[in-house]
Amino acid sequence: YPYPSNPWFGSFYKNGIKTVVTVHDCIPWINKLYSKQLLSRLYNFKCKRALKKADQILTVSEVSKKDIEKYIEIPVKKIVVIHNDAGDVFKKGEVDEGVLSHFKIKKGQYFLYVGGYDERKNVTELLLEYGEYAKKTDHPYPLVMVGGKQVDNYLYSSLDREDPENGNIIRTGFLDAESLAALYMHCSAYINLSKYEGFNIPVVEAANMGAPLILSNINTHKELYNGHALFVDISKKGACTKALEKLCDKKIQERYSKKSKELSKKFSWRFSAQKMKDVLFSS
């Protein structure tokens, strides 16, 4: 099962079927906001019950592995870490730059966010920090925000707030992968201030395209991307603002772009597929 959706009733397991389930993160069991409604609580309770019956759990980082052991109470010997990677479109090195002219942005002169907009993604804080950066800068780079609401509920309140008066926020809505690749390739920095992640695939997509990285200093980011990104302490006001100012320098952009290219070599679908094969054939 590529998601916690294996059966929770015991009779299924009496048939001797080996069950392998992927758990990307433990957000529903850690953050109560994601289990606020009755149906969500019931669903997550049943998922947790079912996961305990699985023969093997796959996950995407050591941080998630520790969380699964702690919050779902799975023995660590049953958990295997297999990393994600970016899709092929982010490995070509060639892009259609039409998306830049469509949104009237210049190469190396805009910041980029790609990702979700639910509460843990910390987009509200990103907008506040960008607003402070724009106040201090005579000609601030625009902030390009890709994506939108997937579900219309309280978790997506960041999309309902007004953009800061200073600067220039460009909201693109959802885009295809080819357009994303072009935006990653030519941004002055990709920014992600998330408060919790299991892996965070957009970071690897951005790295493959050579985008300099500004990331929150959460444990998952430090585990997977340490030494390849400019980390900011999201508990300190102004930390991201300083990082934005720093990445306006072309020489610093080039330095962190090289670090991103080095990071992209760390992940491989081929290697992950082989590890998956080893798990399945040994179960």
Side-chain angles (χ1 to χ4, degrees):
Y1 295 85
Y3 185 81
S5 56
N6 55 306
W8 55 71
F9 47 90
S11 59
F12 174 85
Y13 300 92
K14 291 179 181 178
N15 297 323
I17 299 171
K18 294 290 184 180
T19 308
V20 181
V21 186
T22 298
V23 180
H24 291 269
D25 55 60
C26 288
I27 293 162
W29 300 285
I30 294 176
N31 191 327
K32 292 182 180 180
L33 283 175
Y34 290 78
S35 293
K36 196 172 180 180
Q37 297 175 343
L38 178 60
L39 286 177
S40 296
R41 290 201 300 272
L42 178 60
Y43 174 76
N44 291 322
F45 169 77
K46 290 292 188 181
C47 283
K48 184 176 180 179
R49 179 180 172 186
L51 287 170
K52 291 183 178 183
K53 297 180 181 293
D55 295 284
Q56 194 89 57
I57 299 292
L58 306 180
T59 194
V60 291
S61 65
E62 292 295 332
V63 167
S64 281
K65 182 177 181 177
K66 291 176 183 177
D67 286 344
I68 291 165
E69 179 188 17
K70 179 179 179 179
Y71 293 99
I72 307 180
E73 301 170 336
I74 302 288
V76 71
K77 64 181 180 180
K78 292 175 63 175
I79 310 169
V80 177
V81 174
I82 301 178
H83 290 145
N84 290 311
D85 190 12
D88 290 343
V89 70
F90 303 106
K91 298 176 182 291
K92 292 179 181 178
E94 298 178 2
V95 296
D96 179 357
E97 297 175 357
V99 66
L100 275 72
S101 57
H102 178 76
F103 290 108
K104 300 178 181 179
I105 50 179
K106 298 178 181 179
K107 294 180 181 180
Q109 296 184 36
Y110 62 93
F111 298 112
L112 177 66
Y113 174 75
V114 178
Y117 286 80
D118 49 307
E119 190 273 341
R120 70 185 169 91
K121 294 294 186 176
N122 208 21
V123 174
T124 297
E125 187 63 28
L126 170 57
L127 291 171
L128 290 172
E129 291 283 327
Y130 173 76
E132 290 301 310
Y133 150 79
K135 281 181 187 177
K136 298 179 179 181
T137 310
D138 291 335
H139 302 287
Y141 290 171
L143 172 61
V144 179
M145 308 283 286
V146 179
K149 279 189 181 182
Q150 294 177 309
V151 181
D152 191 14
N153 65 21
Y154 60 91
L155 289 172
Y156 290 82
S157 60
S158 64
L159 278 164
D160 298 326
R161 63 172 287 120
E162 292 184 5
D163 291 337
E165 293 181 7
N166 303 287
N168 179 16
I169 306 290
I170 299 172
R171 295 185 180 272
T172 70
F174 294 101
L175 298 174
D176 57 39
E178 288 76 12
S179 297
L180 284 181
L183 290 176
Y184 283 135
M185 176 177 279
H186 295 300
C187 68
S188 54
Y190 168 74
I191 314 161
N192 193 297
L193 303 185
S194 182
K195 292 185 283 187
Y196 179 89
E197 293 289 341
F199 186 87
N200 210 349
I201 289 177
V203 175
V204 181
E205 293 175 347
N208 271 271
M209 301 307 299
L213 302 173
I214 298 175
L215 303 178
S216 55
N217 64 340
I218 58 174
N219 289 334
T220 302
H221 286 166
K222 289 189 289 185
E223 173 200 333
L224 297 169
Y225 314 125
N226 193 35
H228 302 279
L230 181 57
F231 287 102
V232 297
D233 185 346
I234 54 176
S235 68
K236 293 183 178 179
K237 185 176 180 180
C240 180
T241 299
K242 291 179 181 178
L244 293 173
E245 293 170 346
K246 189 173 184 177
L247 263 298
C248 288
D249 185 309
K250 297 299 181 184
K251 290 183 178 179
I252 296 176
Q253 283 183 27
E254 290 174 7
R255 188 196 315 163
Y256 278 92
S257 179
K258 289 179 181 178
K259 288 176 180 288
S260 287
K261 283 294 186 181
E262 292 169 3
L263 173 64
S264 67
K265 298 173 184 177
K266 180 179 174 180
F267 304 100
S268 163
W269 278 129
R270 182 178 292 276
F271 177 79
S272 295
Q274 183 60 54
K275 198 169 182 179
M276 171 75 84
K277 181 181 177 182
D278 293 341
V279 169
L280 294 177
F281 279 82
S282 64
S283 296

